[in-house]
Amino acid sequence: MPDNSPREVLPHFDPHDPGLSPERAYATYAQLRRHCPVSHGERHGGYWSIARYADVRDAATDHTTYSSTGGVYLPPVSGSRFPPIDHDPPEHAGFRELIAPLTSGAAAKTMEPAVRAIAERLVDGFTGRGRAELAAELATPLPLEVITRLYDLGPEDTEEIRGYSEEFLTHASGSRGPEIIDRVCRYWVGLFADRRENPREDFLTGLVEANRELGATDDELANMMFILTYAGHDSTALGLGNTLLYLAEHPDVQQRLLDEPKLIPSMIDEILRHETPLHWFPRQLTADTCLHGQQMKAGERVLLLFASANRDPEVFDRADEIVIDRRPNRHLAFGAGIHTCPGMALAKLEIRTAVQVVLERIPGFRVDGDVERTDPLEGGGRHLGVRRLPVTW
């Protein structure tokens, strides 16, 4: 006699669900952590998702089993690879060395006066109006100007980079993704050729010279510059936008930060934890693995749900609340292991500086109009941020 009793429907996470709002994503993560910490999705070629903090951190720091060589998108948007983010040792180290002049803590410290000057100029541009749209006038242009300043690129190239970053964000998971990547990489290859013919005292000249030892192709270097620029621009803009929205909605917190400015770094870390800009990254298994009773096979894809890990109540007391003086705060917003975001120090510097400047110039700013969040999550179901933030003061 057939068994017609209801079957338990286990929760799973689908990054390409068109209804994946931030609220729905976090509700799904809570279900997964509680009921199904390792879940399976059938779409997009099949994939596993890991939801609990300890498991996500363990996987992120075990690049031997959880390889990054399968790419950074699900499903893949291009046949190309994007070093160093989708390379494992030993190749990974060589590419990280190439970008070290931009991404080290020392490099971020050197950039501090320039970041401050850019932030002040942007904020001073709207201070006298009594109102602003902080996503378009601060959160988006600040990281773009900083990263192009690092490259020593002029205004024309800055606009080129802005254009392709915004275009790729819109079409990252669609059919136009590969075409955009190819076009952008041709742009970088052209710049490499120019620097070989006309060397300058800038990062790109140093890059092509340092690459003589590594021996990467121009296409590999172009893919590296694509992902470095795109991630350095958009992920920082997302984090800054989330932080500014929180402050605009909480004037009491603004006042506390003015009274206790030493709390600004911990407040930023807490927003990054609670409102993680990049929700997940994929890995590919190199060996059969069993986790929480689930048998995962070599070659299968695994999503590390960093945003879920950052709300895990087993690690964070009051995990669904923002506690601006939280200590310790071992969030995974920048990843973990060898693939920890190389631009972490610079991103934190940019967000901290922007917060300091807006608190100095427009204290008491508050939301004044309709806020637009990334709803559904953008960038292939990964990006959480603010696309429109009108404020007044």
Side-chain angles (χ1 to χ4, degrees), residues 169-375:
L169 178 65
T170 303
H171 301 287
S173 58
S175 59
R176 291 188 57 195
E179 179 269 324
I180 296 168
I181 293 171
D182 289 343
R183 175 158 41 87
V184 173
C185 288
R186 289 196 300 271
Y187 160 79
W188 284 113
V189 168
L191 287 181
F192 300 152
D194 175 73
R195 294 306 190 272
R196 290 190 182 99
E197 290 293 323
N198 306 288
R200 309 178 190 176
E201 293 292 329
D202 65 2
F203 169 74
L204 290 180
T205 300
L207 175 69
V208 296
E209 290 177 352
N211 183 56
R212 292 173 183 169
E213 182 175 349
L214 182 63
T217 67
D218 274 4
D219 286 344
E220 289 175 315
L221 293 181
N223 288 337
M224 181 185 73
M225 293 302 299
F226 167 80
I227 202 69
L228 181 67
T229 306
Y230 174 63
H233 170 212
D234 192 64
S235 58
T236 305
L238 294 170
L240 177 54
N242 292 336
T243 304
L244 293 172
L245 173 59
Y246 173 73
L247 292 175
E249 292 178 333
H250 295 85
D252 57 321
V253 175
Q254 293 186 47
Q255 187 58 54
R256 186 177 176 190
L257 295 176
L258 286 167
D259 295 338
E260 303 177 71
K262 289 183 178 179
L263 287 178
I264 292 176
S266 67
M267 181 275 298
I268 291 169
D269 271 319
E270 179 67 346
I271 301 300
L272 290 169
R273 179 198 70 83
H274 191 269
E275 302 290 304
T276 305
L278 302 180
H279 272 215
W280 53 268
F281 274 92
R283 297 291 190 268
Q284 185 164 311
L285 288 168
T286 62
D288 293 354
T289 303
C290 182
L291 185 62
H292 295 289
Q294 299 282 18
Q295 299 289 336
M296 302 184 291
K297 301 296 184 182
E300 292 184 321
R301 301 271 273 167
V302 181
L303 299 187
L304 307 188
L305 302 180
F306 289 106
S308 175
N310 283 340
R311 295 275 192 104
D312 191 336
E314 293 298 315
V315 178
F316 302 100
D317 184 42
R318 299 159 58 194
D320 288 325
E321 299 178 33
I322 294 175
V323 182
I324 67 169
D325 55 357
R326 185 183 297 275
R327 293 293 187 196
N329 192 343
R330 299 183 296 275
H331 68 79
L332 302 177
F334 293 103
I338 65 169
H339 289 290
T340 298
C341 174
M344 176 174 63
L346 183 60
K348 285 189 174 185
L349 168 65
E350 292 176 52
I351 298 172
R352 186 184 78 241
T353 302
V355 167
Q356 291 169 338
V357 172
V358 295
L359 289 177
E360 293 167 5
R361 301 293 210 271
I362 55 170
F365 68 96
R366 59 194 182 279
V367 174
D368 181 38
D370 295 331
V371 174
E372 293 180 11
R373 301 217 68 186
T374 51
D375 185 357

Side-chain angles (χ1 to χ4, degrees), residues 64-81:
T64 301
T65 305
Y66 294 86
S67 170
S68 293
T69 57
V72 297
Y73 289 95
L74 179 82
V77 299
S78 169
S80 301
R81 296 178 66 192

Side-chain angles (χ1 to χ4, degrees), residues 50-186:
I50 299 177
R52 290 179 181 167
Y53 181 97
D55 300 324
V56 171
R57 183 174 180 84
D58 286 349
T61 54
D62 179 9
H63 59 267
T64 301
T65 305
Y66 294 86
S67 170
S68 293
T69 57
V72 297
Y73 289 95
L74 179 82
V77 299
S78 169
S80 301
R81 296 178 66 192
F82 301 95
I85 196 171
D86 61 359
H87 285 58
D88 289 333
E91 296 84 3
H92 174 266
F95 287 107
R96 286 286 287 242
E97 288 178 9
L98 286 181
I99 63 175
L102 299 182
T103 60
S104 67
K109 186 69 175 175
T110 301
M111 280 294 295
E112 190 163 356
V115 173
R116 176 84 188 190
I118 295 169
E120 288 179 342
R121 175 173 51 78
L122 291 171
V123 174
D124 287 345
F126 54 72
T127 301
R129 296 204 311 258
R131 62 181 63 250
E133 202 281 87
L134 291 183
E137 296 186 79
L138 180 59
T140 297
L142 175 64
L144 179 64
E145 288 202 32
V146 169
I147 200 162
T148 52
R149 177 75 64 88
L150 280 167
Y151 297 159
D152 292 317
L153 297 179
E156 183 176 329
D157 289 310
T158 296
E159 286 307 308
E160 185 90 10
I161 290 170
R162 182 200 297 272
Y164 81 64
S165 291
E166 293 176 349
E167 186 179 11
F168 183 70
L169 178 65
T170 303
H171 301 287
S173 58
S175 59
R176 291 188 57 195
E179 179 269 324
I180 296 168
I181 293 171
D182 289 343
R183 175 158 41 87
V184 173
C185 288
R186 289 196 300 271

